[in-house]
Amino acid sequence: MIKSIIFDLGGVYFTDGTKEAVKKISKGYNLNSKELAKFFGTKSKAGKQYRQGKIASKQFWNEFEKKFKLNINGEELTKLWVSFYNPIEGTVSIIKKLRKKGIKIYFLSDNVKERSEFLQAKFGFLENFDGGVFSHKAGLTKSDGSKVFKIALEKAGGMPHEVIFVDDKEDYVKTAKILGMNAIHFKNAKQLKKEI
């Protein structure tokens, strides 16, 4: 019996704002979008450390300036970045229905402090969760391996087979399965509803 579900945020609960921000910034500054996407994610040292909460926003944008040889306004780019995230109504609806049925809902997100605070202030999304793990608070990202998944599992309670993990990135779905969780590779809300 399923007792709880752990959701990724960006790309599952929210639209993939980083993907959209990369498009906009790469076009605006004439940068390679693949290089930019790598920098913003966990595949770059600065991106990973920022998501782990090991460096602050200012240091992240300093590294951005060095790498891309640009003078930018980090605060403005942060605002631009976070503005592309919007709740996926279908996912929100599923979560609300599941909670009414007594299923506990948690999140596991590779998220930076500024984005999580902005999205909470704008959408109050945390009220739809019983708890969760932000990478910038845990000091770990999902790309670091199973450790942060175990932290989320502990928060969710119960045995791994009583938990479903939902993420739009296949690698993380695989990690959850290795730990014994049921896992769904999210493509859209309709598919998610069907699989749950």
Side-chain angles (χ1 to χ4, degrees), residues 84-98:
F84 284 103
Y85 284 85
N86 288 294
I88 297 170
E89 290 307 319
T91 302
V92 177
S93 173
I94 289 165
I95 285 172
K96 286 179 176 176
K97 283 173 187 168
L98 289 166

Side-chain angles (χ1 to χ4, degrees), residues 18 35-53 60 81 109-112 115 135-136 140-145 148 169 171-172:
T18 298
E35 278 296 304
L36 198 58
K38 188 180 171 185
F39 185 83
F40 272 79
T42 55
K43 286 178 181 168
S44 79
K45 188 180 175 185
K48 190 168 190 165
Q49 287 182 330
Y50 188 26
R51 287 167 189 263
Q52 290 169 329
F60 173 77
W81 184 7
S109 177
D110 285 350
N111 216 317
V112 301
R115 191 198 323 160
S135 61
H136 71 270
L140 293 161
T141 66
K142 287 178 268 185
S143 67
D144 290 316
V148 79
K169 292 182 176 66
D171 284 353
Y172 303 149

Side-chain angles (χ1 to χ4, degrees), residues 29-161:
Y29 289 93
N30 198 24
L31 298 170
N32 181 296
S33 59
K34 282 184 183 174
E35 278 296 304
L36 198 58
K38 188 180 171 185
F39 185 83
F40 272 79
T42 55
K43 286 178 181 168
S44 79
K45 188 180 175 185
K48 190 168 190 165
Q49 287 182 330
Y50 188 26
R51 287 167 189 263
Q52 290 169 329
K54 290 178 181 174
I55 63 169
S57 176
K58 193 176 179 182
Q59 289 166 280
F60 173 77
W61 292 114
N62 283 345
E63 290 301 318
F64 179 96
E65 286 188 321
K66 276 187 222 167
K67 178 165 178 63
F68 297 105
K69 296 172 176 62
L70 290 168
N71 284 320
I72 49 103
N73 182 327
E75 279 182 36
E76 287 303 312
L77 284 183
T78 296
K79 283 177 192 169
L80 177 73
W81 184 7
V82 299
S83 71
F84 284 103
Y85 284 85
N86 288 294
I88 297 170
E89 290 307 319
T91 302
V92 177
S93 173
I94 289 165
I95 285 172
K96 286 179 176 176
K97 283 173 187 168
L98 289 166
R99 289 189 90 198
K100 277 182 186 171
K101 289 181 179 181
I103 303 282
K104 297 286 185 186
I105 304 294
Y106 298 87
F107 63 84
L108 174 58
S109 177
D110 285 350
N111 216 317
V112 301
K113 181 177 178 278
E114 289 75 16
R115 191 198 323 160
S116 56
E117 287 174 356
F118 172 85
L119 294 175
Q120 175 58 15
K122 188 173 181 181
F123 301 111
F125 72 96
L126 291 174
E127 69 192 32
N128 290 321
F129 293 89
D130 294 289
V133 180
F134 284 124
S135 61
H136 71 270
K137 288 186 177 178
L140 293 161
T141 66
K142 287 178 268 185
S143 67
D144 290 316
S146 62
K147 214 169 180 181
V148 79
F149 288 81
K150 287 175 182 173
I151 294 167
L153 201 48
E154 208 172 286
K155 276 190 183 278
M159 302 299 286
H161 68 271

